[in-house]
Amino acid sequence: SYLNVQPGVRMASCDNFTITVEGSSTHGSTPHLGTDAIVAAASIIMNIQTYVSRNNDPLNPLVVTVGKIDGGQRFNILANKVVMEGTCRTFSRKTLETIDKDLERIAANTAAAFGASASLEYQHLTTPVINDHEDLNRIARNAVIKLYGEEGLGHLPTMMGSEDFAYFMDVVPGIFGFLGSRDAEHQASNHNDCYDVPEDVLKRGAAMHAQFAADYLSAKAPK
């Protein structure tokens, strides 16, 4: 197992949203007498994808996913209401300042083109996890090397998943690391019902925390 304490962006933010599309019902044989919320919702989903491809800076990783859609009462009735739920993931704090208003604009204007209406509820949850404190990065890296040598450091690609440790980092300076726990016996990843921690690695993480704390206090405590 290894420890990963890389500087820079490590994990993405996590925002959730709900879009409610309102139309009016009619029989499927007379669609001109109603407003199909499902058709409007389908167009909203497609137009949201163009936000990533055409409104977002291509150098800024961004994910906008509609993961749930619920609408309609019967196969031969135009739906009068559709509710969609989704999530947004980004590393950019600047993107988080505008994405809710941008998605609301796309949803409302797209629905209006079909004679329907759409409203957005947006929740800003975890912010990106960014190891952007040079001194903490240095102390953490050196702590790993003291305990396990250079070979104890492992590389891990940046992930679009999120981590609620970001709540702590929003309040006080911090650094987020990963403790490798996969071996020949324990192959399942976390969020898997077969995941089991090889307990031998836990002492490595605890030792790392203790070494980091000691080194931090040594460097930062008033003399």
Side-chain angles (χ1 to χ4, degrees):
S1 63
Y2 62 80
L3 291 110
N4 171 266
V5 285
Q6 290 173 225
V9 174
R10 304 308 298 132
M11 301 186 77
S13 63
C14 176
D15 291 354
N16 292 353
F17 63 85
T18 300
I19 297 174
T20 302
V21 183
E22 301 275 1
S24 58
S25 292
T26 185
H27 195 273
S29 63
T30 57
H32 59 292
L33 299 180
T35 301
D36 195 335
I38 286 181
V39 171
S43 293
I44 289 171
I45 292 173
M46 297 307 297
N47 285 343
I48 284 175
Q49 305 311 305
T50 67
Y51 179 75
V52 176
S53 66
R54 288 296 177 265
N55 291 92
N56 179 61
D57 184 342
L59 299 179
N60 171 43
L62 174 64
V63 172
V64 180
T65 296
V66 175
K68 180 181 178 182
I69 181 168
D70 183 22
Q73 297 83 31
R74 187 171 168 80
F75 75 97
N76 62 342
I77 302 294
L78 265 64
N80 67 323
K81 183 178 181 180
V82 172
V83 179
M84 301 178 285
E85 298 178 26
T87 185
C88 299
R89 309 294 175 105
T90 181
F91 302 133
S92 169
R93 295 186 177 107
K94 184 177 180 181
T95 298
L96 294 175
E97 296 174 2
T98 60
I99 192 169
D100 53 345
K101 294 181 284 290
D102 292 340
L103 293 183
E104 183 176 34
R105 169 177 51 81
I106 291 172
N109 291 341
T110 301
F114 292 88
S117 63
S119 59
L120 174 80
E121 295 180 18
Y122 198 94
Q123 291 181 294
H124 290 284
L125 300 176
T126 59
T127 54
V129 175
I130 305 175
N131 290 339
D132 54 2
H133 296 281
E134 184 178 347
D135 54 343
L136 298 184
N137 293 334
R138 184 184 65 256
I139 293 171
R141 178 182 175 85
N142 289 339
V144 174
I145 294 173
K146 283 182 181 180
L147 291 170
Y148 308 114
E150 291 277 356
E151 61 274 16
L153 289 167
H155 174 76
L156 192 66
T158 300
M159 290 180 279
M160 292 301 290
S162 63
E163 169 54 53
D164 56 13
F165 187 77
Y167 288 128
F168 295 101
M169 298 177 77
D170 287 342
V171 178
V172 296
I175 181 169
F176 186 80
F178 296 86
L179 174 63
S181 62
R182 179 173 294 184
D183 57 25
E185 181 182 355
H186 303 84
Q187 291 292 326
S189 64
N190 59 340
H191 300 296
N192 184 309
D193 58 3
C194 294
Y195 177 71
D196 181 28
V197 178
E199 295 190 6
D200 284 348
V201 308
L202 297 181
K203 60 187 179 185
R204 293 170 63 87
M208 161 61 185
H209 276 77
Q211 187 67 60
F212 175 86
D215 292 349
Y216 176 86
L217 291 173
S218 176
K220 299 290 187 178
K223 305 299 182 183

